[in-house]
Amino acid sequence: MGEEIASAVARRACVFASGAEVIAGNIEDTNSPYLLETLTEAGFTAEFGGIVEDDVTVAQNRLAGALERGFGLLVTTGGVGAEEKDHSVEAILRLDPSAHTPWILKFTPDMRRHHKEGVRIAVGRVGLARLVALPGPHAEVREGARALMEGLAEGLDDKTLAERIAGVIRERWLTH
């Protein structure tokens, strides 16, 4: 019975968008519908968790709420950049301090727009659930989602999965 429960939880996914620009309607959230469709096609029962404010505590609490509701895969889009307002990676690290957070792009913070050392993604785990933070640009979400789905199908561990996702997005930066 425990295996049946674990299997059912693992196939439940919740997708979150993030950012004031999405909340204000300044940009359209194309990522959530894309991820929901991708996850559903891969056999997940997927729900939209809403748009998360640019606040680390709010993000952490929204993710924790989804964990309490029994989702086995939580995916955020946006909020992984170097701006002071970006908190998706930090929210996952609060829930899983040992989450894997490989860099996609690194640079020296200018303390004007960029307050962090660069852009990174996150893959963490809380109990049975896996948490994944993807970037906001749609092309990067498509690449990251492809790597995520392939990695899940292959049964990759969190570190290898994080490196695979970061690697395909990093490659996109190098070739575009």
Side-chain angles (χ1 to χ4, degrees):
M1 184 169 174
E3 286 181 29
E4 289 178 27
I5 292 170
S7 179
V9 167
R11 303 309 290 173
R12 293 188 69 227
C14 191
V15 174
F16 296 90
S18 70
E21 60 273 31
V22 179
I23 292 170
N26 296 333
I27 62 170
E28 180 184 357
D29 175 20
T30 56
N31 294 331
S32 298
Y34 172 80
L35 286 169
L36 292 168
E37 181 179 336
T38 299
L39 289 161
T40 300
E41 288 174 359
F44 286 83
T45 300
E47 289 183 23
F48 181 55
I51 305 168
V52 179
E53 297 172 37
D54 291 327
D55 179 285
V56 68
T57 301
V58 170
Q60 175 188 357
N61 289 340
R62 294 286 296 279
L63 292 171
L67 291 169
E68 290 171 7
R69 291 179 30 226
F71 288 99
L73 177 64
L74 282 62
V75 181
T76 66
T77 63
V80 301
E83 295 181 54
E84 196 170 31
K85 67 179 184 67
D86 294 322
H87 298 293
S88 295
V89 171
E90 290 81 359
I92 288 176
L93 284 167
R94 283 186 175 186
L95 294 166
D96 175 9
S98 63
H100 301 281
T101 61
W103 296 100
I104 295 170
L105 177 66
K106 282 194 84 168
F107 45 79
T108 303
D110 62 14
M111 302 315 282
R112 290 186 295 274
R113 180 173 180 201
H114 298 120
H115 292 255
K116 301 176 192 174
E117 295 178 63
V119 178
R120 58 190 175 154
I121 60 104
V123 175
R125 189 174 294 271
V126 175
L128 298 174
R130 186 173 266 160
L131 296 81
V132 178
L134 297 174
H138 190 66
E140 294 175 26
V141 168
R142 283 194 322 264
E143 293 293 323
R146 181 181 51 76
L148 172 62
M149 294 294 98
E150 290 172 358
L152 291 174
E154 293 172 26
L156 296 181
D157 63 84
D158 294 342
K159 181 179 182 181
T160 306
L161 180 61
E163 290 297 337
R164 178 166 307 170
I165 294 168
V168 299
I169 298 169
R170 194 179 307 118
E171 182 66 27
R172 179 169 177 71
W173 272 90
L174 295 172
T175 60
H176 287 88

